[in-house]
Amino acid sequence: MRRPLTLLLGTALAATAVGAVPAAADAPRPRPAAAAAAAGNQPYASYWYPDTILNWDPATDPDARFNRSRVPLRPRTSDPALKANPGARAGEGRIASLVSFGPTSNNPSQGSAGTDYYAFGYWQYVDKLVFWGGSAGEGLILAPNPTVIDAAHRNGVKVYGTVFFPPTAYGGKLQWVRDFAQKSGARYPVADKLVQAAQYYGFDGWFINQETDGGDAALATELRNEIKYAKAQGPTDFMWYDAMTESGSVAWQNQLDSANDAFLQDPARVSDSMFVNFGWTSGGLNSSRTLARSLGRSEYELYSGIDTEANGYNTSVNWSALFPAGQPHTTSLGLYRPEWTWKSATDRADFYAKDSRYWVGANADPSDTTTSGAWKGLASYVAESTPITAKPFVTSFDTGQGDFWNSAGTRVATGGWNNLSLQDVPPTYRWLVSSTGTKLSPSIDFTDAYEGGSALRLSGRLDATNTVRLYQTRLPVAADTKLSVVLRTPAAGATGAKVAVSFTDAPTTFTTLDLGATTGTGWEHRTLDLSGYAGRTIAQLGLQVSGSSPSYDLRIGQLAVYDGSVDTTAAPTGLTVLGSTDVSATRRSLRLAWTAPTGGAVHHYEVYRRNPDGTRTFLGATPDDAYFVPQLDRVGAESTATLDVETVSTEYGRSAPVSTTVTWGGTPPAESNLALGRPATASGQCNGTEGPAQAVNGSVGGGNGDKWCTLTDAKWLEVDLGSARTLSRFVVKHAAAGGESAAWNTRDYSVQVRSSTTDPWTTAATVTGNTAATTTSPAAVTARYVRLVITKPTRTTDPAARIYEFEAWGS
C-alpha cells in the first residue's frame, strides 16, 4: 500500500509544503534559527536545509543557548510482576511516537503562554519520540525543542529530530538529497552537523524520511555510508523510514525485505531501527521478523506504522497481526500523530479524556481494557516502564501546563502557560484503583497545586478501603531515607489516608504508613521515616484510604523519597540580561542567562520579578542556564524592576536568589482608575438601588445604597473598559469601606480578564481569607473586560456580596 508519510503531514506541515511548490527552487528561504535575532525576541527551535546547516554554529546562533536540554536520559526498568494489564508484555514490542508539537518554524524554545498545547503524559508506554516536522517551504531538518527533550529524558524516552525530503509534488528537490550526502574527503559535512546539533542540544538521534524520487543506487549507498559515518562520530541514533529503496527509487515496501534491508544492516549496522510504512500485512510482519533475525537484528527494532492523525482511536488496526494474543509480539509499533487527542479536543478536559482512551482504553483503567470497540488502548499490549530508579524522587503531579503557578502552596502567578520542561514524571498507572466497594476517582486537579500548576486529587464516595497504585519504582532504602507527603483537605479532621509502599521482595504486598488527620484546610507536610526498611528496595508507591464519606476529597501536592534532610544547592551566578525588546511603552521581553552553581543537583531555576509592594511574581522556569521572559510589565511609575533567579534542587530545596535590575526608560504613562464610570453588568442585584453601576461610581460614602449587592448563587461583576488597556492593579472596597460590618467583607474572590468577548477568561488575581475593608492586588495584564468573581461573600453565613467599589488601575 503506497501511503507515504508526506501525504499524512496534516494542515500544519503539508499545506506549507504544497504552497511552496511553485517557487520552491528560487524563492528566498525563511530565516533559519542560526540567523541573527533581535536581542530580546522569542527564541525558536532550530531548523535548516542541508546547505544552511553547514553554516550553523552554536557560538554564533543567538537562539542556540535557549534550545539546550540539560536533563540526561534516565535509565528505566519494567517489572513484569507489576504490569497493570495481564495481556501486556514487557521487554518485547516497543512504541515509537511521531509527534508534531508545532510548525517547523516559529516553534517556541521554552514553552509559551496559554494551555493549548500537547502536554503528553503517557511516557511509560513509549520507547522513542520523533519530533516530527519539516517542509519544503520552511526547512528540511528540524531539531526538537528542549522542553520535549527534558520531559522525555526525565521519563527515560529517547528523542529524535527529523530529516524530511518530500516528494517533488510537495516541493522536494533531489538536489537537497545530494547536498545532504555530499562528501569532503573522508567526511560527510552535513552528518558532522547532525551529530553536533544532537550533542549540543542534548537529544538522541535523527529520523530520516527520504521520499524524493529520482535517485539511484549510488545515492542510496551514499546515504547508508553517511549514516554509518555519523554513528562513528558520536553516540547518535538513526531511524530509517521505509520509503527509499536500495535502488535509489522511492517505493514503500510495508515490510523489511531485500529491497530495503541494507538501510538496517549491510552487513554492518546502519540504522538503529526502521519505521515500516503503514500498509503492512500479517504475512509481511512475519517475514520481516524472520529477516531481521537472520541479519542479527531484533524484530523489535522494526516499528510497524499506524496512522492516527485523522481518526485517533477510531483508526482500524490489525492488532492481532502486530500483537497476537498470548504470543510474542511480531514487531514494535510506530504511531503517527497521536496528538490527534489534542488536535481534536474541544477543551483541556476533553483532551485528557481522549488521551486516556487512546493510551489506557475506554475504561480509564490499564488493568481493564475490555471493550466492544477494536481499540483497546495501548496499555493492553505494552507493559509500563518506569524511570524512577534512583533517589531523590519528587513529584508535584505537574503536567507541564496550568492556569497559574504556585510555589510552596502560594500563588505567585496567574494565567495559562505550558512548558514540558517543568513536567513531573506522571503516575505509572492512570488509574489503578482496587476496592471491595465504590472506587474513588483519582484525577489531575488544575484548580490547586503545591508546586506548579496541578496536584493529585482523590475524590468520590468512600464506603470501603481503596488502594491506589501510583508509581512503579526501584528505589533502595537507606538508614536515613525519608518519604514525605504534602496533602490538603477541605476541612480539618481525619483523612483515613495512608501511603502504600511495596518492596521488590514482595512487590504486590503493600505496607501502609498513616498520614493522620489534618489540622486545617491548607497544605500540610508529613515526613515518614523509612529507616525500618533499610536494605530493601521500594517497588511501588501509592495511597490507601479507609473510612466512610459520601464526598471524600483529598489533594496530594507533593510526594517525595530522599535521603537525610532536604538538600539545597547554591544560587546561580552571573545573572545577565542578554538583551531586551520593547513590546510597548510599559512592556518588554527579555533574554536572561546565568552560570550554573558548581556542584549540587539542580532540578530547575525559577525566575521572578520583585513587585513594588514587596511580593514577587513568577515569570517562568527552566532546567537550562538561559531563559526567555516574554512579558515583563512596568508597574505604575517604577523606574526599575528587579529580577530574581533561584535554584531549585532535585529535592526541592531552594537557594537564595541572584538578582539583576532592568531600567525603564521615559516617563511612565499616567495611571487612573479605568473602571470608573464604565458600563458594568452583574449576575444580579439585591434591589433596584444596588446595581452594578454603584460599584464603579467612584464613591463609598453614600450609605448602604452606594454599593453593588447580590444574592445570586454565582456572584460576578463585569466592567467593559472600552478598549484593551494595560492594568497594574485591582482595588476592591468591601462592606466595611462603606460603613457596614467588617464580618461582611468579601472573604474569597478572583479577578478575571479578557480582551474580547470571544476569548476565554483568564484569572489575573486571587484573594482568599480576606478580612480587610480594602484590598489591592497587583497585576501585569492587558485586557478590555474585567470581572470580579466572588466565591465566598462574607466571613459569616450571610449570603450577600457587598462591593462598594471595584477599581481597575492602569494606563
Side-chain angles (χ1 to χ4, degrees), residues 375-653:
W375 189 285
K376 297 181 183 299
L378 299 175
S380 184
Y381 311 105
V382 177
E384 302 82 0
S385 295
T386 178
I388 308 170
T389 59
K391 294 170 292 185
F393 165 63
V394 181
T395 177
S396 300
F397 302 95
D398 192 283
T399 66
Q401 61 175 202
D403 302 316
F404 55 83
W405 183 270
N406 280 7
S407 178
T410 299
R411 187 70 45 92
V412 290
T414 56
W417 60 274
N418 67 82
N419 186 343
L420 288 182
S421 289
L422 307 179
Q423 184 187 71
D424 291 316
V425 175
T428 313
Y429 307 106
R430 304 237 331 245
W431 301 98
L432 209 53
V433 183
S434 60
S435 175
T436 58
T438 306
K439 290 184 179 181
L440 293 173
S441 297
S443 63
I444 299 298
D445 177 29
F446 290 97
T447 68
D448 200 1
Y450 182 69
E451 294 283 353
S454 52
L456 174 68
R457 188 176 188 181
L458 198 59
S459 59
R461 180 179 179 83
L462 177 63
D463 52 23
T465 298
N466 277 246
T467 301
V468 184
R469 292 169 58 186
L470 292 174
Y471 288 97
Q472 185 183 146
T473 71
R474 190 159 293 178
L475 298 175
V477 181
D480 61 347
T481 300
K482 305 291 194 303
L483 191 159
S484 73
V485 180
V486 179
L487 70 161
R488 188 172 196 167
T489 54
T495 64
K498 302 175 182 179
V499 177
V501 182
S502 76
F503 300 93
T504 54
D505 52 7
T508 60
T509 301
F510 283 103
T511 299
T512 58
L513 306 168
D514 198 350
L515 293 176
T518 53
T519 60
T521 60
W523 290 109
E524 299 184 14
H525 291 252
R526 302 289 185 270
T527 301
L528 307 173
D529 183 3
L530 297 184
S531 61
Y533 307 99
R536 301 174 77 182
T537 299
I538 300 173
Q540 291 190 84
L541 289 170
L543 295 169
Q544 190 174 96
V545 180
S546 300
S548 177
S549 173
S551 55
Y552 186 81
D553 196 358
L554 172 70
R555 287 178 174 86
I556 302 294
Q558 194 172 83
L559 177 66
V561 180
Y562 56 92
D563 291 339
S565 58
V566 173
D567 292 335
T568 59
T569 187
T573 58
L575 175 59
T576 303
V577 178
L578 297 178
S580 66
T581 296
D582 288 333
V583 179
S584 70
T586 58
R587 176 174 295 173
R588 287 181 180 174
S589 59
L590 305 171
R591 292 186 176 204
L592 304 177
W594 53 85
T595 300
T598 302
V602 176
H603 186 271
H604 67 271
Y605 304 91
E606 294 184 356
V607 183
Y608 293 85
R609 71 150 292 156
R610 296 187 200 172
N611 298 315
D613 65 356
T615 62
R616 294 199 305 174
T617 297
F618 175 79
L619 298 178
T622 178
D624 204 354
D625 61 3
Y627 187 71
F628 170 69
V629 177
Q631 182 175 319
L632 179 68
D633 286 302
R634 189 173 193 170
V635 178
E638 66 177 5
S639 59
T640 62
T642 299
L643 304 185
D644 292 340
V645 176
E646 61 189 32
T647 310
V648 179
S649 77
T650 52
E651 296 183 1
Y652 269 72

Side-chain angles (χ1 to χ4, degrees), residues 86 121 132 154 244 305 332 343 364 495 528 564 574 585 751:
W132 180 249
R154 196 170 284 129
M244 188 184 202
S332 291
K343 290 282 190 180
T495 64
L528 307 173
V751 180

Side-chain angles (χ1 to χ4, degrees), residues 71-78 152-158 385-390 425 472-474:
V71 178
L73 179 67
R74 286 186 179 174
R76 62 182 191 172
T77 187
S78 180
H153 279 187
R154 196 170 284 129
N155 286 277
V157 175
K158 288 186 173 183
S385 295
T386 178
I388 308 170
T389 59
V425 175
Q472 185 183 146
T473 71
R474 190 159 293 178

Side-chain angles (χ1 to χ4, degrees), residues 169 185 296 335 396 413 649 708 768:
L335 295 175
S396 300
S649 77
W708 166 63
T768 58

